[in-house]
Amino acid sequence: MENSFEDLIASYIENKVGIAEYFLSPELANHLKQNLLDLNEKSLLQAAGIGNSEKLSYDGAIRSDSIYWLDKKHNNVFENEFFDKIDAFVLYLNESCYTGITGYEFHYSLYEKGDFYLKHLDQFKNNPSRKYSMISYLNSNWQEADGGELMIHQENNNQKISPTQGKTVFFKSNELVHEVLVTQNTRMSITGWLKSD
């Protein structure tokens, strides 16, 4: 477990973008993917908005994915396993990097063919509590032709990251402009933020 934590932190320190190829085990990723598909089958996902609760809007020309917020109150065994992993990572991050993270929030994210999310920052202008962004991907057998890459924009170094199953990406929420390129296949992830209130 600590190896994937170190992969995230070391690559973040080197490039401002942490990547761990196997942060989620294949078994856990498959179970979480099935949860997401079941929720979608029951029409429980909602159109993703832009902004926070104080300033929320919906614009399909900017963002077209659907989401479902994870909550420990749901008492889903696999989501709780995911939360246990995040709890362990936060503890490791706080102890090794003194980040002062006190909480987090995560949601499932589903992009259907043709969906995208234009360039944006993850930290709200009216609320700086989001410190780090984390995305864990749930897409087995993802091919380059499927598109849907995470494009991170840095000066002289744009980085295109394929959303392959088990991979987790980690970066500062107020620092890096990023986007999700148009996907040609169903694209699934758990997306969230480590927070300091």
Side-chain angles (χ1 to χ4, degrees), residues 72-84:
K72 288 181 179 177
K73 292 176 186 172
H74 297 158
N75 205 28
N76 178 282
V77 61
F78 303 116
E79 291 170 15
N80 286 345
E81 187 179 340
F82 173 80
F83 283 133
D84 288 345

Side-chain angles (χ1 to χ4, degrees), residues 1 9 36 58 69 76 93 106 118 139 190:
M1 186 184 289
I9 293 169
L36 174 49
Y58 297 88
W69 289 97
N76 178 282
L93 187 67
F106 285 91
L118 298 184
N139 308 295
I190 293 179

Side-chain angles (χ1 to χ4, degrees), residues 34-49:
Q34 192 57 54
N35 280 356
L36 174 49
L37 292 170
D38 290 345
L39 290 163
N40 190 46
E41 184 73 23
K42 296 172 185 173
S43 301
L44 293 174
L45 275 69
Q46 299 180 330

Side-chain angles (χ1 to χ4, degrees), residues 50-97:
I50 302 156
N52 58 8
S53 56
E54 295 170 29
K55 196 176 179 182
L56 185 63
S57 64
Y58 297 88
D59 188 342
I62 295 174
R63 178 181 189 180
S64 53
D65 59 318
S66 301
I67 65 170
Y68 180 91
W69 289 97
L70 276 65
D71 193 320
K72 288 181 179 177
K73 292 176 186 172
H74 297 158
N75 205 28
N76 178 282
V77 61
F78 303 116
E79 291 170 15
N80 286 345
E81 187 179 340
F82 173 80
F83 283 133
D84 288 345
K85 181 109 180 176
I86 296 298
D87 285 335
F89 177 64
V90 166
L91 182 64
Y92 191 87
L93 187 67
N94 282 342
E95 287 181 348
S96 60
C97 301

Side-chain angles (χ1 to χ4, degrees), residues 165-180:
Q165 179 161 298
K167 181 188 293 179
T168 290
V169 180
F170 170 80
F171 55 91
K172 241 183 168 177
S173 299
N174 68 342
E175 235 176 39
L176 298 182
V177 172
H178 56 284
E179 63 183 311
V180 176

